[in-house]
Amino acid sequence: MTESIVSYKDVHKSFGDTEVLTGINLDIKPAEKVAVIGPSGSGKTTIIRMLMTLEEPTSGNIIVDGSNLWHMEKNGQLVPANEKHLRQVRGDIGMVFQHFNLFPHMTILDNCMSAPVHVQKVDKKEAKQLSIEMLEKVGLGDKLDSYPSQLSGGQKQRVAMARALVMRPKVMLFDEVTSALDPELVGEVLEVIRDIAKEGEMAMVLVTHEMEFARDIADRVLFLDNGVIAEQGPPADVLENSTNERLQSFLHRFRS
Amino acid sequence: MNTGNWQWDTFFEAFPLILEGLGITLGLTVATYLFALIFGFVWTLLSAVRIKPLRWLFRWIMEFIRSTPPLVQLFFIFFAWPMVPVVGFAMSPFISAIIGLGVHFSTYIGEVYRSGIEAVDKGQWEAARALNFSTGHKWSKIIIPQAIPPTIPMLGNYLIIMFKEIPLASTIGVAGILNLANSYGAANFRYLEPLTIVAILFLVLSYPSAILINKLERKMNRRFDKKEPTGSKSLSEEEKEGAVS
Ligand SMILES: Nc1ncnc2c1ncn2[C@@H]1O[C@H](COP(=O)(O)OP(=O)(O)O)[C@@H](O)[C@H]1O
Ligand SMILES: [Mg+2]
């Protein structure tokens, strides 16, 4: 059995008095592709935001490549992680957002280069080379000097992917990356994700409403409902053969 | 004593004398403004500290300074501060004016910075975090380059507002144009011409500045509607320059 790259151990999350996640247990293997589906408000975004350190779990542990993400050891005791510890562990994780979050004051190339240069301290020439290669891979080799405002939504999202990929994360998170796009632009973004997935070595967690896509790309599909993982398994089992009623009625809305 | 009719002789005699104070007035403006720009940043930091009671205290102090007349603050710094036991010491009128007016206006500038920072989209902070930027780089590469340019017109406005308050410094003896005009008036028993000269000088300096800032504001608005580059130098540009040299 391979070691997990990410483990959620009884992770709970409350916002104020509402407990949104009521005990998440999840192991993700290196290179595993996990699709997360579920009704809006079921906590899909929250699950991956906790892994990206954008939300702190209320209780439980998240282990990334052997390190406890939100806790560190101090005098033999587990204490809440400080920013230094978070930075160390976070380096393995990358994320693509629903609304791209590109840096509007930088060119496309600089969007990709800035983190390798400033965070990973990669030599500038090398970072530039890597960024150009990555942008070519997502089909934007001709837009290096453009600014985000000059691109379509689909192009922006592809830049966002290149920007995250160039950091070579071990786990990449996708939060409904096509839901802010015009329908005709969804295809080009999904196509890029498929290519990335095919390359293999990186684990991917994809929150998505594209069921067809989830079936194609995922090794495992999770159905999130009422704050827990209500159903999980290979795509065919979850998307076609499940007897879970809530899941069936959820999926029903995607068939027309 | 003739106080009524305008005398060109007096005007031309007073003009060069008063003009000599222009350097002081402008120098004081620039120095005070720089002080306010820098100290404003301190307020921005202080009013964002994590510890709540401290944050309230700093915001209260800011509010207090803002709602007290600058003249009172100027007098305090110049006349009262040297009398304060242990920490108090005397400063020249020029330095006192920089600190008195600078601190007053820095509280406004601090608010401007804060509004600029708060206007930066939440997604930008999250992207900076997701890309694992250090706190320093997050501020210098992501937040400040987006927060400051939209506030430039506002900062310009405060420069003009501040410029018009600079004559307050004459009350503690800074030899700017108002002070010289006053001395001339006292010595020659004529105030009409010298004070008119002061008014003209202020008008000549602040009116074009106001127009300039207005233009800048429109330019910035256009730029930010389109979300175009904000003028900070890009990484790849830096590199291009590096390659040339
Ligand atoms: N920052 C927040 N503050 C308060 N409530 C939040 C916050 N983020 C998410 N929630 C709530 O948590 C629940 C789950 O949200 P989310 O993870 O975004 O769901 P999903 O991505 O599945 O639509 C929702 O009810 C949402 O309103
Ligand atoms: Mg969501």
Side-chain angles (χ1 to χ4, degrees):
Chain A
M1 202 187 99
T2 25
E3 275 289 309
S4 301
I5 184 76
V6 173
S7 290
Y8 288 72
K9 295 188 190 301
D10 195 29
V11 172
H12 293 243
K13 176 65 187 177
S14 305
F15 290 107
D17 291 337
T18 356
E19 189 162 61
V20 178
L21 297 172
T22 59
I24 298 294
N25 287 287
L26 171 65
D27 284 294
I28 300 167
K29 303 273 171 265
E32 192 181 13
K33 317 296 182 238
V34 179
V36 182
I37 61 171
S40 160
S42 60
K44 305 181 294 296
T45 297
T46 305
I47 283 194
I48 60 174
R49 281 172 62 85
M50 289 189 300
L51 184 50
M52 193 66 264
T53 71
L54 298 172
E55 296 291 353
E56 185 170 358
T58 313
S59 70
N61 291 291
I62 302 177
I63 314 296
V64 177
D65 204 13
S67 305
N68 195 321
L69 178 60
W70 283 101
H71 298 89
M72 58 186 196
E73 213 154 314
K74 200 175 175 186
N75 306 327
Q77 282 196 315
L78 277 190
V79 296
N82 58 18
E83 177 62 20
K84 188 174 165 227
H85 176 88
L86 287 175
R87 274 198 88 200
Q88 241 161 37
V89 186
R90 189 197 285 142
D92 286 339
I93 319 282
M95 181 160 176
V96 183
F97 298 88
Q98 191 171 347
H99 297 285
F100 331 125
N101 298 349
L102 294 181
F103 304 131
H105 58 299
M106 295 183 193
T107 64
I108 301 314
L109 180 58
D110 285 339
N111 262 277
C112 288
M113 273 175 72
S114 64
V117 170
H118 299 303
V119 178
Q120 294 177 325
K121 312 289 178 200
V122 174
D123 172 69
K124 222 180 228 181
K125 269 214 178 86
E126 193 184 330
K128 185 174 178 180
Q129 194 55 39
L130 285 172
S131 301
I132 293 175
E133 276 168 28
M134 205 53 86
L135 284 165
E136 278 168 354
K137 195 146 107 189
V138 301
L140 292 168
D142 56 338
K143 298 280 184 202
L144 302 180
D145 294 325
S146 303
Y147 282 87
S149 59
Q150 299 165 314
L151 304 185
S152 72
Q155 290 172 326
K156 281 183 200 166
Q157 197 56 295
R158 285 185 279 147
V159 174
M161 280 191 270
R163 182 177 73 172
L165 282 170
V166 84
M167 299 287 279
R168 308 239 166 254
K170 291 178 181 157
V171 185
M172 182 86 137
L173 312 173
F174 298 79
D175 188 13
E176 293 193 35
V177 295
T178 55
S179 42
L181 300 179
D182 293 334
E184 72 271 17
L185 301 176
V186 170
E188 66 186 59
V189 172
L190 295 184
E191 205 49 51
V192 171
I193 301 177
R194 274 195 181 103
D195 288 345
I196 299 169
K198 259 186 236 146
E199 282 181 18
E201 73 268 29
M202 190 174 62
M204 292 165 66
V205 182
L206 306 112
V207 174
T208 185
H209 287 298
E210 306 281 337
M211 296 305 154
E212 205 58 41
F213 173 71
R215 189 193 328 259
D216 285 359
I217 196 180
D219 301 310
R220 180 160 48 134
V221 177
L222 310 181
F223 173 59
L224 206 61
D225 192 35
N226 283 331
V228 292
I229 299 172
E231 189 83 26
Q232 62 175 311
D237 292 5
V238 174
L239 298 174
E240 280 147 39
N241 306 322
S242 170
T243 52
N244 182 318
E245 270 178 36
R246 302 256 317 166
L247 172 54
Q248 281 180 348
S249 81
F250 170 74
L251 289 173
H252 191 71
R253 275 179 270 152
F254 291 91
R255 303 211 181 90
S256 45
Chain B
M1 186 167 107
N2 186 351
T3 48
N5 48 348
W6 177 266
Q7 290 179 1
W8 283 108
D9 290 356
T10 312
F11 181 86
F12 287 115
E13 185 188 51
F15 195 83
L17 295 175
I18 292 170
L19 211 55
E20 267 173 41
L22 193 63
I24 298 261
T25 298
L26 290 179
L28 183 61
T29 307
V30 170
T32 306
Y33 191 58
L34 287 179
F35 184 94
L37 286 180
I38 293 164
F39 210 69
F41 189 64
V42 175
W43 288 122
T44 310
L45 292 180
L46 291 179
S47 63
V49 291
R50 294 253 169 84
I51 307 149
K52 258 189 196 165
L54 271 184
R55 189 166 66 224
W56 288 333
L57 176 69
F58 291 136
R59 290 198 179 167
W60 185 82
I61 294 173
M62 258 173 107
E63 194 53 49
F64 174 77
I65 294 175
R66 216 177 314 161
S67 37
T68 323
L71 185 59
V72 174
Q73 286 160 15
L74 207 56
F75 276 19
F76 184 87
I77 296 267
F78 188 66
F79 296 114
W81 182 250
M83 314 290 182
V84 176
V86 190
V87 286
F89 56 90
M91 288 171 286
S92 74
F94 193 77
I95 298 292
S96 300
I98 292 176
I99 293 175
L101 296 173
V103 166
H104 183 82
F105 281 95
S106 69
T107 60
Y108 291 93
I109 303 279
E111 278 302 299
V112 171
Y113 291 155
R114 192 153 73 101
S115 73
I117 290 165
E118 276 168 8
V120 175
D121 184 56
K122 189 170 125 281
Q124 296 293 308
W125 300 81
E126 297 193 342
R129 191 163 242 232
L131 290 166
N132 216 1
F133 274 88
S134 67
T135 308
H137 279 134
K138 175 179 72 189
W139 282 99
S140 65
K141 305 293 171 186
I142 313 295
I143 306 302
I144 289 177
Q146 294 183 67
I148 297 307
T151 66
I152 287 173
M154 256 191 286
L155 293 177
N157 269 330
Y158 276 115
L159 173 59
I160 292 179
I161 292 172
M162 206 195 70
F163 180 56
K164 290 188 288 191
E165 301 291 334
I166 286 292
L168 287 176
S170 73
T171 58
I172 57 168
V174 175
I177 51 179
L178 181 62
N179 196 282
L180 293 185
N182 233 345
S183 309
Y184 183 90
N188 299 282
F189 305 107
R190 283 205 64 92
Y191 285 93
L192 177 61
E193 295 82 4
L195 287 179
T196 305
I197 291 168
V198 171
I200 291 171
L201 286 176
F202 269 95
L203 180 74
V204 161
L205 288 166
S206 65
Y207 189 67
S209 315
I211 291 175
L212 207 76
I213 283 164
N214 222 311
K215 270 201 174 137
L216 196 67
E217 184 160 14
R218 254 177 285 152
K219 200 168 145 190
M220 284 290 166
N221 283 343
R222 269 204 305 276
R223 177 171 274 189
F224 279 86
D225 280 342
K226 282 199 285 180
K227 289 224 160 139
E228 264 182 8
T230 54
S232 67
K233 200 152 78 165
S234 72
L235 272 173
S236 40
E237 267 171 46
E238 271 172 43
E239 211 207 19
K240 272 177 214 155
E241 281 174 16
V244 170
S245 60

